[in-house]
Amino acid sequence: FEGVACVAFHPRFPENRKYYVKYHVRNQGSHFSPVIVERQATPDLLHDAGVPSRRVLQIHQNTDLHWGGMIAFGPDGYLYIGAGDAGPQEDPEGHGQDLKVLNGSILRIDVDRQDGGRPYAIPELNPFRYAAPPIRPEIWASGFRNPWRFSFDPATGDLWVADIGQNLFEEVSIARAGENHGWNVYEGFMKFSEQHRRDGEKYTPPVFSYRREYGVSVTGGYVYRGRRNPSYQGAYLFGDFESKRLWALTQADRQLIKVRQIGESPQRIASFGLDHDGELLLVGYEGTIYRLELDGSDFHTVPMLQARVNLLRNGLPAAARVSITGRDDLPYAPDAVPLRKTAAGESYFYADRVFEAKVPRGRSRLTFHGGLETIPQAAVIDAGADTELTVRLQSWIDLAERGWYSGDSHVHLHTGGPISVTVADALVAASAEGVNFVNLCVSNVEGDDIRDSELITGKPHPASTDRHLLVFGEEMRSMIYGHMQFFGITKLVEPQYTGFDNTPFSVDFPANYQMAAEAVRQGAVVTYAHPMFTGQPFPFDDDLARPNGAARELPIDAILGVAHAVDIMSYNSDEPLSTELWYKLLNCGIKLAACVGTDALLDRSTDPPGGDRVYVKIAGPFSMESWLAGLKSGRTFVTNGPVPLLEVNGQGAGETIRLPSAGKVQVAATVESYVPFDQVELIVNGEVVVHTAVPAEGTSGVKLARVAVELPIERSSWIALRVRGPADRQVFDG
């Protein structure tokens, strides 16, 4: 079998040894279609008998999307089949509303009989059993997008269907014969499209729907009818594949009574199962089967208290990145505030000045972060009533006082993600992370969907403050030549992308130079994004036509003067490989500034902006112009924690020292850090010439290391300072 999705055992399996497998086969083209076959077990019921399969049903489709997944025998003895809408995204052909195709429906067939030339029969009470062709009589209920898992309540016979959503909502429904559950006219409770609405059609809403900030792919479970925890009796337990959250809900007449999160899975949730006692099992995507232990919880009683937290810095209201973990080890956030998650799995939200959150009564842990220059704070709420707390954020260093201002070249505001954000939210994030300059990149999402281009003005957005500048720039994306960020452009440089299939700019033309030159004409500074990826052959793939976002054209554009910097650090790149590429370009005499672009997405759960960052030494007051001038001149350092400062003959980063002949230079390096580091290296022309191991003792608090040496210089050279350290929970992209 290829791509097995589900197995169902015949109700009389001990006698007839029949079981059914849903898997995928290739069509005559390149796409897969779901197939259901009948197999037979050996007499001891422990192995497959090895006899040929009997093909029961194939559901043809023309994309590799939304196959559905579940098959199960109902209490009536018939086989129920979950069929997805077969794509493409958003179901433009309206399969979910088309009774002439099997897609987008729950099907019901009788595998014990055959009629009408089919290898199965149509149950007498199927709602479309006697409908005129071409309506498909197999359809039992319609209007589904991708019903990956469904189950029957053994006590009531209700069919619970978890349907994976499109852009905004996941949904849980109780389906009944002949009903239309709405897709793609509705997504969850909200209208989605009028294109395939039928006059007079009645649409059945879900019991429960949740926004994608809580998860992006619902996995259906079971109604609890076990004995170990009576408080869950009759509650439907389910989860989300991606967020790994587990919920339980109760309903009456398909109206939601109560829903609460009851846990989080160690692995992404692929499926659920039941043991012989009706207790739930969870199938992890990585291959582990877990038993849900409900003994220590009570579904009906979760006493909550209100926590009010005031955030201050230097006695003034401040913003912060906050994590709250309740006594149940679950994350919490204020109402209507999106809960995000880092790549390491830590949940967080942004708060400005003051916030209120409901947390379980008892001990809750809170952490507060203010970016690389701020000392992380921790607090514990252990109270039996509503409480108030004031947190005073403290900096361990203030680099702006020394003329260094931080920035992130690559942050996206709107990418079609599930979190609703505005420019004001971007300002809160920048303030909370202590990032002074944020380049909010306009780019296509997928295809020709370009967002926020009207906000490009060549000036800081009016929401900016004197300490935090939000400037809309551009990420120019070529699938062959690499991605670039433009700082300070006055209007969108077009084409904004090249080489994206099925778009107006599907060809790999023009080369990046044309767009970079136009950006420079507008007065922009240009940097190349995520120049090298993990596992990528150095410097580039042999197959130059294979799509790749690496900086393939960077050397040429730098030589031609239209690329000024390169992002040495990014959440999406390999820093050692990217640094090696930079070293090679410097060795060729190409002076490129070191920059950073995290590629953080503010409308999705990612690591935060500024977890990696570039610091720029500016001349005069902080402004967009002074920051970009400092970046272009190379007065920068990049970091995700330590602060490395380098002087050669009294000159700082980005400066040029002219010697009359070969000789020696005085090098002074200082490293300050609140996170651990254990190595300090001086690099000359790509080679380590000084390596200093830093003792691990006394790693708490601020750590300081100094290196002062005299280096011989015999030819044209460049000198850099590099700091390394161990992984640390405070460090992103480490």
Side-chain angles (χ1 to χ4, degrees):
F1 301 129
E2 188 167 13
V4 173
C6 196
V7 175
F9 293 91
H10 195 283
R12 298 194 305 278
F13 175 70
E15 294 85 40
N16 64 22
R17 297 184 281 138
K18 293 179 180 180
Y19 69 98
Y20 298 81
V21 181
K22 183 178 183 183
Y23 66 101
H24 302 136
V25 297
R26 284 196 182 275
N27 298 336
Q28 292 180 349
S30 60
H31 301 296
F32 287 99
S33 288
V35 168
I36 298 160
V37 297
E38 179 184 274
R39 302 285 299 172
Q40 193 170 59
T42 54
D44 61 6
L45 306 181
L46 297 179
H47 305 282
D48 184 84
V51 299
S53 298
R54 180 175 78 91
R55 179 170 289 195
V56 176
L57 178 66
Q58 180 171 353
I59 304 172
H60 292 277
Q61 56 185 78
N62 295 319
T63 73
D64 283 336
L65 292 172
H66 310 162
W67 297 295
M70 188 72 180
I71 59 173
F73 283 91
D76 51 16
Y78 297 128
L79 183 65
Y80 288 72
I81 302 162
D85 68 12
Q89 296 289 358
E90 301 186 358
D91 193 16
E93 298 175 12
H95 293 155
Q97 295 298 310
D98 188 354
L99 298 178
K100 300 187 297 296
V101 297
L102 298 178
N103 310 106
S105 297
I106 302 295
L107 314 177
R108 183 173 72 163
I109 61 175
D110 182 352
V111 295
D112 293 326
R113 297 186 303 112
Q114 300 180 25
D115 66 15
R118 306 181 187 92
Y120 54 86
I122 304 299
E124 183 67 23
L125 296 181
N126 267 22
F128 304 105
R129 171 74 170 81
Y130 296 104
I135 291 177
R136 297 301 298 259
E138 296 92 339
I139 294 174
W140 187 78
S142 63
F144 294 97
R145 182 176 180 271
N146 195 22
W148 169 246
R149 286 295 182 259
F150 60 75
S151 65
F152 292 91
D153 181 350
T156 66
D158 285 339
L159 176 58
W160 288 77
V161 182
D163 196 20
I164 298 171
Q166 173 67 46
N167 296 326
L168 294 176
F169 298 101
E170 306 297 298
E171 62 182 76
V172 173
S173 300
I174 295 177
R176 292 173 183 162
E179 289 183 336
N180 184 337
H181 284 260
W183 174 252
N184 69 352
V185 179
Y186 285 87
E187 182 185 14
F189 291 96
M190 293 187 64
K191 291 181 180 179
F192 184 86
S193 171
E194 295 292 313
Q195 182 179 1
H196 299 288
R197 177 186 287 274
R198 299 197 297 271
D199 291 340
E201 184 72 5
K202 180 180 179 181
Y203 301 99
T204 302
V207 174
F208 175 64
S209 178
Y210 62 91
R211 286 187 175 271
R212 291 198 141 197
E213 63 200 71
Y214 300 103
V216 301
S217 181
V218 64
T219 301
Y222 291 86
V223 174
Y224 183 76
R225 298 295 178 185
R227 299 178 180 178
R228 298 183 65 169
N229 193 325
S231 74
Y232 285 89
Q233 193 65 213
Y236 177 70
L237 277 65
F238 64 104
D240 188 274
F241 174 81
E242 195 63 42
S243 71
K244 299 183 284 190
R245 296 182 180 190
L246 290 163
W247 292 279
L249 68 80
T250 53
Q251 56 82 36
D253 297 326
R254 296 197 283 189
Q255 298 296 311
L256 181 68
I257 296 176
K258 179 180 180 179
V259 62
R260 56 168 286 218
Q261 184 175 338
I262 61 172
E264 188 166 319
S265 169
Q267 297 179 6
R268 289 183 290 180
I269 304 170
S271 189
F272 290 88
L274 293 175
D275 67 11
H276 290 295
D277 296 322
E279 301 297 331
L280 265 71
L281 306 173
L282 183 151
V283 181
Y285 185 67
E286 288 76 16
T288 304
I289 297 178
Y290 299 91
R291 182 184 300 279
L292 267 64
E293 297 287 353
L294 302 174
D295 305 46
S297 64
D298 187 330
F299 176 68
H300 299 296
T301 305
V302 184
M304 305 290 284
L305 61 84
Q306 187 91 344
R308 178 183 175 89
V309 179
N310 303 291
L311 300 171
L312 299 177
R313 184 190 291 273
N314 300 325
L316 299 175
R321 172 169 31 96
V322 184
S323 297
I324 301 178
T325 304
R327 68 171 188 177
D328 51 6
D329 288 326
L330 298 178
Y332 289 86
D335 292 341
V337 172
L339 192 62
R340 306 165 186 267
K341 185 171 287 190
T342 67
E346 182 179 0
S347 297
Y348 70 95
F349 61 90
Y350 285 119
D352 190 20
R353 299 170 178 261
V354 63
F355 68 88
E356 294 182 349
K358 294 178 181 178
V359 297
R361 194 179 303 272
R363 185 182 179 89
S364 293
R365 305 183 303 276
L366 295 82
T367 58
F368 304 88
H369 298 270
L372 299 190
E373 300 178 39
T374 299
I375 300 171
Q377 302 283 329
V380 172
I381 296 175
D382 192 358
D386 293 351
T387 187
E388 185 167 357
L389 177 70
T390 297
V391 176
R392 293 174 173 83
L393 299 170
Q394 296 179 316
S395 299
W396 66 270
I397 193 171
D398 188 347
L399 287 170
E401 285 189 346
R402 307 183 189 182
W404 291 95
Y405 287 83
S406 62
D408 190 332
S409 77
H410 194 174
V411 178
H412 292 285
L413 182 63
H414 292 130
T415 68
I419 301 175
S420 177
V421 289
T422 65
V423 178
D425 296 308
L427 178 62
V428 172
S431 302
E433 301 295 343
V435 182
N436 303 118
F437 191 110
V438 178
N439 193 42
L440 292 170
C441 291
V442 173
S443 74
N444 64 321
V445 180
E446 292 294 337
D448 196 41
D449 183 10
I450 301 173
R451 308 185 183 203
D452 296 332
S453 60
E454 73 282 359
L455 298 177
I456 298 175
T457 63
K459 300 177 182 179
H461 189 276
S464 302
T465 67
D466 59 354
R467 186 83 175 194
H468 303 284
L469 301 183
L470 306 176
V471 184
F472 278 86
E474 178 179 343
E475 180 189 13
M476 190 277 145
R477 305 171 75 203
S478 165
M479 295 299 288
I480 295 294
Y481 305 121
H483 296 194
M484 304 179 289
Q485 280 91 248
F486 302 152
F487 293 90
I489 52 174
T490 57
K491 64 178 181 179
L492 185 73
V493 176
E494 297 181 286
Q496 181 270 313
Y497 64 88
T498 59
F500 283 74
D501 293 340
N502 302 313
T503 69
F505 298 100
S506 59
V507 297
D508 303 307
F509 181 85
N512 280 7
Y513 171 81
Q514 177 172 314
M515 283 69 78
E518 169 58 21
V520 171
R521 188 195 67 77
Q522 294 185 28
V525 174
V526 177
T527 181
Y528 261 82
H530 39 65
M532 298 291 292
F533 296 105
T534 301
Q536 179 180 338
F538 190 87
F540 302 112
D541 291 321
D542 292 334
D543 181 6
L544 297 181
R546 190 171 72 87
N548 191 319
R552 286 168 160 165
E553 198 183 304
L554 169 60
I556 299 301
D557 289 341
I559 291 171
L560 295 176
V562 295
H564 311 109
V566 57
D567 287 349
I568 303 303
M569 304 179 78
S570 170
Y571 292 154
N572 294 324
S573 68
D574 185 303
E575 275 77 24
L577 285 178
S578 298
T579 303
E580 185 179 353
L581 174 63
W582 183 47
Y583 289 172
K584 288 181 179 294
L585 294 172
L586 293 175
N587 283 342
C588 292
I590 302 172
K591 187 177 179 181
L592 282 170
C595 193
V596 168
T598 59
D599 207 357
L601 311 178
L602 293 179
D603 63 349
R604 301 177 188 269
S605 277
T606 65
D607 284 343
D612 299 332
R613 63 184 63 188
V614 58
Y615 278 91
V616 175
K617 186 68 177 290
I618 69 169
F622 173 53
S623 66
M624 183 186 83
E625 292 77 13
S626 64
W627 195 87
L628 291 180
L631 172 63
K632 187 175 181 180
S633 69
R635 298 194 299 269
T636 69
F637 68 83
V638 302
T639 183
N640 60 358
V643 175
L645 297 177
L646 174 68
E647 286 191 351
V648 179
N649 284 359
Q651 301 296 308
E655 303 298 335
T656 299
I657 299 170
R658 301 193 181 278
L659 302 179
S661 61
K664 296 181 178 180
V665 294
Q666 302 298 319
V667 178
T670 302
V671 181
E672 300 168 87
S673 182
Y674 199 82
V675 298
F677 68 95
D678 52 21
Q679 301 175 63
V680 177
E681 298 170 328
L682 289 175
I683 314 292
V684 177
N685 296 339
E687 301 295 331
V688 177
V689 297
V690 175
H691 179 276
T692 300
V694 180
E697 295 83 16
T699 55
S700 61
V702 180
K703 192 172 184 179
L704 175 66
R706 289 190 173 94
V707 176
V709 296
E710 188 176 66
L711 292 180
I713 300 296
E714 298 181 354
R715 60 185 177 87
S716 178
S717 301
W718 57 269
I719 301 174
L721 170 63
R722 186 167 66 194
V723 183
R724 299 180 185 270
D728 186 85
R729 65 187 307 269
Q730 307 297 341
V731 174
F732 292 101
D733 202 28

